[in-house]
């Protein structure tokens, strides 16, 4: 089977970074709507996301919480949009995560481009949940040898039911960090040389920060899709 760019939530189960576990302990009792609350809910649910397509794990992909080393540009990775709507930003972020082009973009450029979407508030950012989605250098090289690339289309985005319930129970909690949980569904079209290709349904849950009078930014990728 042709190596593919791993989709978010594929094969990660309830895995969560050390920083994410710390955030859970600190915020779950006071700010249920922050990424810590989202992580606690997702981890407590157990199991893998329902986007189980048999895509190979990235293996030795970096899980460092630090930003990637500077790369000469970001290749095909789009710049983050200037949006104040968490649903619209999450849709754009999903397209970014499900799209890539190994013909024009190196692995370092992919990481650098993804990192530009992240919040600069280190108290909340969980870069490792995003960087872990990028294949290791060997797999990326194999994909590049086959001129592999992918595009994405979004079907819909919504606030998960657990998020809406928590918001209804404590409307003021959102003002702590202005972090919103958003579940996005769509389809990824994968292509490679000699006419190879295929399409797969995708879904993920993102934590998006949208402070008043500021553009949105990414905080984290949940280990499981939240309905």
């Amino acid at each position: 089977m042709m190596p593919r760019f791993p989709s978010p939530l594929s094969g990660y189960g309830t895995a969560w970074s050390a920083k994410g576990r710390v955030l859970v302990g600190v915020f779950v009792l006071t700010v249920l709507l922050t990424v810590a609350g989202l992580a606690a809910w997702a981890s407590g649910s157990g199991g893998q996301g329902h986007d189980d397509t048999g895509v190979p794990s990235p293996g030795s992909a970096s899980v460092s919480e630090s930003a990637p080393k500077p790369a000469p540009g970001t290749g095909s990775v789009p710049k983050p949009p200037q949006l104040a709507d968490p649903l619209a930003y999450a849709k754009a972020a999903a397209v970014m995560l499900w799209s890539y082009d190994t013909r024009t973009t190196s692995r370092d450029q992919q990481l650098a481009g993804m990192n530009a979407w992240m919040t600069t508030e280190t108290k909340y950012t969980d870069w490792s949940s995003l960087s872990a989605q990028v294949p290791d250098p060997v797999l990326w090289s194999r994909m590049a040898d086959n001129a592999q690339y992918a595009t994405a289309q979004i079907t819909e985005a919504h606030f998960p039911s657990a998020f809406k319930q928590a918001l209804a129970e404590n409307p003021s909690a959102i003002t702590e960090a202005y972090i919103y949980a958003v579940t996005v569904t769509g389809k990824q079209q994968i292509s490679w040389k000699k006419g190879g290709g295929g399409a797969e349904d995708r879904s993920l849950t993102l934590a998006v920060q949208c402070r008043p009078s500021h553009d949105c930014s990414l905080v984290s990728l949940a280990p499981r899709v939240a309905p």
Side-chain angles (χ1 to χ4, degrees), residues 8 87-99 117 151-154 156-157 182-188 202-206 208 218 221:
L87 292 175
Y89 191 87
K91 288 180 180 180
V95 171
M96 180 272 295
L97 289 170
W98 292 332
S99 304
W117 289 65
T151 57
Q153 292 184 333
I154 301 303
E156 65 91 29
V182 182
T183 294
V184 184
T185 59
K187 185 177 292 290
Q188 182 189 50
R202 296 297 189 205
S203 59
L204 53 71
T205 298
L206 296 165
V208 175
L218 269 179
L221 174 64

Side-chain angles (χ1 to χ4, degrees), residues 35-227:
V35 64
L38 174 62
W41 176 85
S43 297
S45 298
Q48 297 184 357
H50 58 69
D51 180 21
D52 186 7
T53 55
V55 179
S57 167
S60 59
S62 171
V63 293
S64 171
E65 293 184 3
S66 61
K69 295 181 180 180
T74 58
S76 63
V77 183
K79 294 181 179 179
Q82 295 180 319
L83 295 171
D85 177 2
L87 292 175
Y89 191 87
K91 288 180 180 180
V95 171
M96 180 272 295
L97 289 170
W98 292 332
S99 304
Y100 61 90
D101 194 339
T102 63
R103 301 169 301 177
T104 61
T105 307
S106 69
R107 182 176 181 274
D108 285 346
Q109 288 176 321
Q110 187 74 27
L111 286 167
M114 291 168 59
N115 186 257
W117 289 65
M118 301 296 293
T119 178
T120 57
E121 295 186 36
T122 57
K123 182 178 182 180
Y124 301 114
T125 187
D126 183 19
W127 167 240
S128 64
S129 66
L130 273 295
S131 62
Q133 307 307 309
V134 179
D136 63 76
V138 173
L139 179 53
W140 187 273
S141 178
R142 289 174 57 198
M143 292 162 61
D145 289 342
N146 286 286
Q148 188 168 318
Y149 64 97
T151 57
Q153 292 184 333
I154 301 303
T155 303
E156 65 91 29
H158 66 272
F159 297 121
S161 57
F163 176 86
K164 291 190 291 185
Q165 179 180 351
L167 183 61
E169 293 174 354
N170 187 4
S172 64
I174 194 69
T175 61
E176 171 71 19
Y178 287 96
I179 293 175
Y180 302 79
V182 182
T183 294
V184 184
T185 59
K187 185 177 292 290
Q188 182 189 50
Q189 179 72 44
I190 304 172
S191 303
W192 52 85
K193 63 183 182 181
K194 296 183 180 179
E200 296 176 337
D201 293 329
R202 296 297 189 205
S203 59
L204 53 71
T205 298
L206 296 165
V208 175
Q209 186 177 51
C210 298
R211 289 193 180 278
S213 302
H214 288 79
D215 294 330
C216 296
S217 57
L218 269 179
V219 172
S220 184
L221 174 64
R224 186 176 184 274
V225 176

